Amino acid sequence: MKKYSKLFLAFFRIGLLGFGGGPSMIPLVHQEAVKRYKWIEDDDFSDLLAIGNTLPGPIATKMAGIIGYRVAGVMGCLVAVLAVIVPLIITMIIVLEAFSRYSEERWIQGMSQGIVPVVMVMMAQLTWDFFEKSKVSLGLLGTVLLGAVAGGLIYGLGVHPGLVIGAVLVAALLRPEHAIFKARQETSK
């Protein structure tokens, strides 16, 4: 019961404070799942995020679902998904009503403009964390090169990020070291 209440509180906070859409919630999910409750390791979080980005649907609910499932099975999945979407729905109704009613008020305009730099800082921190982790596994040159190619494909050519992530996953699966590792596993059986 305690793990359900922790799951609910963590994802309720994310749903309540995740202004700016799914990408702005990713640092909050990271904070709750990796740093606060230590439900998953940093590497697992990166893998879940990469795979979650290739699948259809909002990233916040996918992350809540898989983390909830890992922590407490199917019931944990349901608790986490409900906890993240209920505040979103309630907040969206209240905020959209306020925006439409008072959209000309300066405090409403200031609110929407003030959130953007906060989300920017959160995304920059997460980007830096991913850069540091990638540098450990791929090296500086590999990280910069792969990042530049991915950025060129996504922002330069307009390729969907899910396709880029999917291509990297397939390339990693087919790389020669993976085939050697798989052959070693089969011979050891």
Side-chain angles (χ1 to χ4, degrees):
M1 196 65 181
K2 193 174 180 180
K3 59 186 169 187
Y4 295 132
S5 63
K6 285 182 178 178
L7 271 172
F8 184 84
L9 283 175
F11 283 99
F12 188 80
R13 269 193 298 267
I14 294 165
L16 201 60
L17 301 173
F19 289 97
S24 71
M25 294 175 136
I26 293 168
L28 300 175
V29 174
H30 184 266
Q31 173 66 30
E32 296 289 337
V34 176
K35 292 183 177 174
R36 180 177 296 204
Y37 291 109
K38 301 183 184 336
W39 287 321
I40 57 175
E41 297 291 323
D42 220 17
D43 290 341
D44 291 338
F45 182 84
S46 300
D47 293 343
L48 293 177
L49 182 61
I51 293 169
N53 274 321
T54 62
L55 301 173
I59 191 68
T61 53
K62 289 183 283 189
M63 295 296 283
I66 191 64
I67 292 169
Y69 183 78
R70 281 190 170 194
V71 172
V74 173
M75 197 61 193
C77 172
L78 292 173
V79 166
V81 169
L82 281 175
V84 82
I85 63 171
V86 167
L88 286 174
I89 293 169
I90 294 170
T91 304
M92 200 166 88
I93 291 169
I94 293 169
V95 170
L96 286 179
E97 181 64 28
F99 272 177
S100 64
R101 187 173 292 183
Y102 305 108
S103 63
E104 299 303 318
E105 297 289 332
R106 290 186 67 181
W107 66 275
I108 288 287
Q109 292 173 355
M111 243 175 65
S112 62
Q113 292 168 355
I115 290 171
V116 174
V118 175
V119 172
M120 180 188 72
V121 168
M122 291 165 47
M123 295 299 291
Q125 178 62 49
L126 192 61
T127 301
W128 181 255
D129 291 347
F130 282 157
F131 176 77
E132 287 294 319
K133 195 164 52 170
S134 178
K135 210 169 65 173
V136 169
S137 60
L138 296 175
L140 179 62
L141 183 62
T143 298
V144 170
L145 196 62
L146 195 54
V149 169
L153 289 171
I154 294 169
Y155 298 109
L157 300 177
V159 177
H160 190 277
L163 293 175
V164 175
I165 292 170
V168 170
L169 291 175
V170 168
L173 191 66
L174 298 176
R175 73 179 184 206
E177 292 118 17
H178 179 76
I180 293 168
F181 178 73
K182 193 173 178 182
R184 284 184 189 157
Q185 277 188 324
E186 288 177 6
T187 56
S188 66
K189 288 181 183 175

